[in-house]
Amino acid sequence: MKVRSVAHHGLFQSIRSKLLIAFSAFSLIAFSIVFVFFWLERRQHRIEDITKSLTRLNLQINDVNSLEKDFFSDDVFDKNFYVTGKSDYLLKHTDLLEQIKRELTLLSDVKDLQRKQLAQEIVKVNRQINKLEKLFEQLVQIIRTKGFKDVGLQGDMQKSIGQLFKKQPEYNLTEVYILKIRKHEKDFIIAKEIQYVEKLKQAVEVVRQEVKQKVQDGQAQAGLLNDLNTYQQAFLDLVKIEKRIGFHNQSGLKKKLNDSLEELEKNIQQIDTLVFDAASRVRTIVKYTLVILLIFFVILSMVLGYFVNHKFGKPIARLSNSINWVIQNNFNEDSKIYQINNKDEIGRLANDFQHMLEAVQARTEEVMKQKNLLEKKNHDITKSINYAKRIQDAKLPQLSTIQEVFPQSFIMLKPRDVISGDFYWFSEVVDKNGDTKYVIACSDCTGHGVPGAFMSMIGSDLLNETVHENNVIEPHLILNTLHDKIRKALKQRTTGNRDGMDISIVVIDKKKQVMEFAGANTPIVYIQNHELTLIKGDKEGIGGLENERDRDFTHHTIKLRPKLKTSLPTAVASHLSPDASQKEEERYSPTTFYIFSDGYQDQFGGAKGRKFMLRRMTDLFMKIYQKPMSEQHEIMERTLANWANGQRQIDDILVMGIHLP
């Protein structure tokens, strides 16, 4: 018994047991609070759903009223309604009433409300809806009977009076008398006043007497009188229908319909009041219950916090200070963990930290050796990449070489990393006719850094092979040939390699004053006569994801030195063609063109962190194309830096600009 008591005491003294007991009690109480909270939250949501349902109900009542007004303002004057009896407003009206009934049914099933009183109000509303529905149906049916234009009673009236109009010249009847009949008819239809009924009867009687006096043929007289009587009877029937419908919404079915709708709105307001009162009570209960639970939870947390701090806080604080001291001394050999003599888990933890410190100190010595080795390797790799950049720069044509042929030109090449996947290429060739042509390429290879640089070297070599060895100098044929060579060089048919490039090829013939272009997923922008033209090129790359399909790139020809337009502003024209002594017919516009990869336009930046985009790039070209090429280069560098505003460059950037005077 004594041994068992000591074991039990030791178990009780362990941190694990103390924490288990304390936090079990805390968890049980917290779970109970959470359960009550969610129960109250659920009731709150039910109240919110009821409020939303009432809002929908009020909106639906307003929609019913609006639909009825729309029906009387639109379909009543639509002949198609009288012929087919179909109306979108009537269908929506029926659907809305059904929705209102469903909303009321949902309200009657809510347990948080006073169901007995609410049920009575809902029954009233349902009865009122049925009454409203019947009244509206009666009104619609009567309106269809009344008709419109040549349909219904109005149609009968038009037919009858139309016969009189047709026969009036034949029997020399006075047209003014017949027109008076139509005038009184229209006055009644518009004003809905009984005085016009009497006036119409008097006008009909005048025409009737005239028919009897002027028409001697008995059969013809009978026919005319029959038409007149038919018209008068149809009009009187129309008057009865209008009375039943109601004049100016103050009588008849219209007044009943309005009264019924007002009563329905009052009943809905009564339901709204009942629900609001019930919801207020529930919200009050929820609010006070939550306040009580929160106070209880805070008190419980304070008690448990004091218990945990008193039992575990001090030794843990000492251990923490000891660990911080070791960290501040950078785990040096003199650092030690403060020894805690407690026999519980905290004491064992202090001993474990001491053992771990000793292991860390031993491991740190080994890590420092590895660090020195990695720094040496990183230095060697960086040195190799910088050497690769020198090789890549040596492979690229010198800007001075290009400027010997095109003095007004610039090249903006900004690798994302040290070495670039974008490259440019330039060559002077002689065609089979002995004419000198200049081939310029602007390429964007897949990948960045070392992989992109490898692809750029391959692309440059294959361009040399295509142009100089295979004597291919047409831009689109260069791209077709380059695509085949890339597939063969990378064995893409068998290896599954998907690397490739987007590239622009420009061939300039100064003698013929012609520039040819073909692009694989890359554009060219050229400006002549102060007008910018963008040719996007073909939406196919060289090699790449669809390498197995042959390419057939489009060939574009651009005429250089077009005739200077006379409509240009004087300042622009004098800049484009500064020699004013030239005859007007001899003056021409120079050409400035740009080829580029997608790195510039895809750079993120600006106030919203978006891409620069091609549209801003073309706008920039239009603003700067008249400036010297060196200044254009500076503006493009400065614009890019301002746009990026410190954001990391996401791609290699290459822009080439050449001015052809």
Side-chain angles (χ1 to χ4, degrees):
M1 293 294 293
K2 190 174 183 180
V3 174
R4 188 177 300 173
S5 176
V6 171
H8 179 74
H9 181 74
L11 177 65
F12 182 75
Q13 290 299 322
S14 69
I15 293 176
R16 183 183 300 175
S17 300
K18 293 175 182 177
L19 289 175
L20 182 62
I21 294 171
F23 284 100
S24 294
F26 182 81
S27 299
L28 181 62
I29 296 172
F31 176 78
S32 301
I33 292 173
V34 170
F35 176 79
V36 172
F37 174 80
F38 278 109
W39 176 74
L40 293 173
E41 185 73 11
R42 186 178 177 186
R43 292 195 69 185
Q44 183 72 17
H45 281 308
R46 285 205 301 267
I47 294 301
E48 291 177 359
D49 291 340
I50 293 166
T51 304
K52 291 178 182 177
S53 179
L54 282 172
T55 302
R56 288 195 300 271
L57 198 59
N58 284 306
L59 290 174
Q60 288 164 353
I61 294 297
N62 291 333
D63 289 342
V64 167
N65 194 10
S66 297
L67 281 172
E68 290 176 359
K69 292 178 180 178
D70 290 341
F71 170 76
F72 289 121
S73 61
D74 290 344
D75 280 355
V76 168
F77 303 103
D78 184 0
K79 179 181 175 181
N80 187 55
F81 163 70
Y82 293 94
V83 175
T84 63
K86 295 180 180 179
S87 168
D88 291 340
Y89 296 120
L90 296 181
L91 291 175
K92 292 177 182 178
H93 186 271
T94 303
D95 290 342
L96 270 176
L97 291 178
E98 291 300 323
Q99 290 177 25
I100 292 171
K101 291 178 182 178
R102 286 195 293 270
E103 292 289 349
L104 291 171
T105 303
L106 291 175
L107 282 176
S108 64
D109 294 335
V110 177
K111 296 180 180 179
D112 293 309
L113 304 177
Q114 298 179 5
R115 296 188 60 187
K116 184 176 180 181
Q117 188 175 0
L118 181 64
Q120 292 174 353
E121 294 299 327
I122 289 174
V123 169
K124 290 181 182 178
V125 171
N126 278 322
R127 289 175 182 170
Q128 199 63 36
I129 290 172
N130 292 330
K131 179 181 177 182
L132 182 69
E133 197 169 10
K134 290 179 180 178
L135 284 172
F136 191 69
E137 288 175 357
Q138 290 177 14
L139 188 57
V140 169
Q141 190 61 38
I142 292 171
I143 289 172
R144 280 199 68 200
T145 303
K146 183 184 74 171
F148 181 67
K149 291 187 177 179
D150 58 350
V151 180
L153 284 176
Q154 288 194 24
D156 294 341
M157 291 165 59
Q158 282 195 14
K159 290 176 185 177
S160 301
I161 203 70
Q163 293 296 324
L164 287 174
F165 271 113
K166 287 181 181 179
K167 298 174 183 178
Q168 173 263 330
E170 180 181 352
Y171 298 106
N172 197 23
L173 298 177
T174 304
E175 185 178 2
V176 174
Y177 294 158
I178 301 175
L179 290 175
K180 279 187 177 181
I181 294 175
R182 295 308 308 272
K183 178 181 180 302
H184 296 322
E185 170 198 326
K186 290 178 181 178
D187 289 341
F188 172 77
I189 291 174
I190 294 171
K192 301 292 191 299
E193 294 181 2
I194 298 299
Q195 59 177 328
Y196 296 112
V197 177
E198 295 302 323
K199 290 181 179 180
L200 185 138
K201 288 180 180 179
Q202 294 171 7
V204 168
E205 185 59 32
V206 170
V207 174
R208 183 181 289 113
Q209 294 302 323
E210 186 180 27
V211 168
K212 290 179 180 180
Q213 292 174 5
K214 291 185 178 181
V215 181
Q216 302 302 320
D217 186 342
Q219 186 175 358
Q221 185 186 90
L224 289 171
L225 292 175
N226 182 61
D227 290 336
L228 196 60
N229 292 334
T230 301
Y231 170 80
Q232 183 176 3
Q233 186 58 47
F235 176 77
L236 293 176
D237 291 340
L238 177 68
V239 172
K240 292 178 181 178
I241 287 176
E242 289 288 0
K243 287 181 178 179
R244 190 174 179 191
I245 291 173
F247 295 158
H248 309 296
N249 296 335
Q250 300 301 317
S251 62
L253 288 175
K254 282 190 175 181
K255 185 177 186 307
K256 290 182 180 180
L257 189 66
N258 289 336
D259 293 344
S260 179
L261 189 59
E262 289 177 1
E263 186 175 351
L264 176 62
E265 289 175 347
K266 290 179 181 178
N267 291 334
I268 294 294
Q269 289 176 358
Q270 181 63 26
I271 292 175
D272 198 359
T273 302
L274 290 173
V275 172
F276 178 79
D277 292 341
S280 298
R281 288 193 297 272
V282 172
R283 289 192 183 96
T284 302
I285 294 172
V286 169
K287 181 175 67 176
Y288 285 113
T289 305
L290 286 176
V291 170
I292 293 171
L293 288 176
L294 182 61
I295 293 172
F296 181 72
F297 187 76
V298 170
I299 294 173
L300 177 64
S301 299
M302 292 173 63
V303 172
L304 288 176
Y306 173 78
F307 173 77
V308 171
N309 181 65
H310 180 71
K311 293 293 182 181
F312 315 123
K314 291 181 180 179
I316 290 175
R318 290 174 180 175
L319 180 59
S320 176
N321 292 334
S322 173
I323 293 171
N324 287 330
W325 182 80
V326 169
I327 294 171
Q328 291 172 5
N329 285 274
N330 203 23
F331 296 89
N332 60 38
E333 295 180 356
D334 297 331
S335 301
K336 291 184 179 180
I337 299 295
Y338 180 81
Q339 294 299 309
I340 298 175
N341 296 323
N342 293 359
K343 295 182 180 180
D344 55 17
E345 289 86 348
I346 297 177
R348 292 197 296 272
L349 183 63
N351 291 329
D352 292 341
F353 270 121
Q354 180 60 40
H355 294 314
M356 183 178 68
L357 174 61
E358 294 170 359
V360 167
Q361 290 170 342
R363 185 64 176 167
T364 300
E365 183 178 357
E366 182 180 351
V367 168
M368 290 302 296
K369 294 179 181 178
Q370 297 292 331
K371 175 178 176 291
N372 294 333
L373 180 61
L374 287 174
E375 287 178 348
K376 183 178 182 303
K377 289 184 177 180
N378 183 60
H379 174 75
D380 293 341
I381 292 170
T382 303
K383 186 176 179 181
S384 298
I385 291 176
N386 289 330
Y387 188 76
K389 175 174 175 55
R390 290 198 295 272
I391 295 173
Q392 187 181 44
D393 290 343
K395 287 280 290 182
L396 293 172
Q398 295 297 314
L399 177 59
S400 59
T401 303
I402 298 175
Q403 288 182 338
E404 287 177 3
V405 181
F406 304 109
Q408 301 183 55
S409 60
F410 76 86
I411 298 174
M412 176 183 176
L413 178 60
K414 295 176 69 65
R416 191 192 76 169
D417 304 312
V418 178
I419 49 182
S420 173
D422 288 5
F423 74 94
Y424 59 93
W425 187 87
F426 173 78
S427 182
E428 178 180 336
V429 294
V430 178
D431 64 10
K432 59 185 178 181
N433 297 323
D435 295 332
T436 301
K437 294 186 177 182
Y438 303 97
V439 184
I440 305 168
C442 172
S443 177
D444 180 0
C445 299
T446 54
H448 312 284
V450 174
F454 269 112
M455 283 300 301
S456 71
M457 301 288 281
I458 293 171
S460 180
D461 289 340
L462 292 179
L463 277 171
N464 283 321
E465 181 182 323
T466 300
V467 175
H468 296 299
E469 295 181 19
N470 302 132
N471 297 318
V472 180
I473 57 176
E474 290 82 1
H476 64 297
L477 297 180
I478 293 175
L479 294 182
N480 293 341
T481 306
L482 189 60
H483 176 65
D484 293 336
K485 290 181 179 294
I486 284 287
R487 289 197 294 180
K488 292 176 182 177
L490 300 180
K491 299 182 178 64
Q492 291 185 333
R493 291 187 182 275
T494 57
T495 62
N497 180 277
R498 291 294 183 266
D499 291 318
M501 64 184 71
D502 300 333
I503 184 169
S504 296
I505 302 291
V506 176
V507 177
I508 298 174
D509 188 334
K510 287 189 173 183
K511 180 179 179 181
K512 296 180 180 179
Q513 288 298 309
V514 170
M515 179 169 65
E516 300 170 287
F517 166 76
N521 266 333
T522 51
I524 183 172
V525 172
Y526 67 92
I527 303 172
Q528 296 175 334
N529 273 314
H530 199 59
E531 294 180 353
L532 182 144
T533 302
L534 168 67
I535 301 176
K536 291 189 176 181
D538 296 292
K539 292 185 178 180
E540 294 183 309
I542 303 299
L545 293 175
E546 297 180 355
N547 64 75
E548 64 278 356
R549 187 163 61 82
D550 292 334
R551 301 287 193 263
D552 187 12
F553 291 95
T554 306
H555 178 266
H556 302 272
T557 302
I558 302 164
K559 182 180 178 181
L560 302 177
R561 292 191 177 182
K563 184 178 179 181
L564 189 69
K565 291 184 177 180
T566 58
S567 59
L568 291 174
T570 304
V572 175
S574 61
H575 176 82
L576 296 179
S577 182
D579 188 359
S581 63
Q582 284 182 314
K583 296 180 181 180
E584 184 175 336
E585 61 272 8
E586 295 177 353
R587 301 183 77 187
Y588 63 88
S589 169
T591 300
T592 303
F593 73 90
Y594 305 89
I595 50 178
F596 45 90
S597 66
D598 59 2
Y600 199 106
Q601 65 198 54
D602 287 348
Q603 178 59 44
F604 287 99
K608 298 183 179 180
R610 296 178 177 175
K611 290 184 178 182
F612 192 80
M613 301 302 289
L614 181 60
R615 180 184 58 78
R616 288 191 182 90
M617 204 168 181
T618 55
D619 291 345
L620 180 60
F621 289 149
M622 278 299 294
K623 291 178 181 177
I624 68 175
Y625 85 94
Q626 299 182 22
K627 300 180 184 295
M629 301 308 283
S630 59
E631 186 176 349
Q632 291 189 38
H633 189 180
E634 293 175 2
I635 292 173
M636 293 204 67
E637 291 273 9
R638 187 167 60 252
T639 302
L640 181 67
N642 292 337
W643 177 261
N645 194 24
Q647 291 197 38
R648 181 176 179 271
Q649 183 176 330
I650 66 168
D651 197 359
D652 299 324
I653 294 173
L654 174 59
V655 181
M656 300 179 70
I658 296 178
H659 177 74
L660 303 173

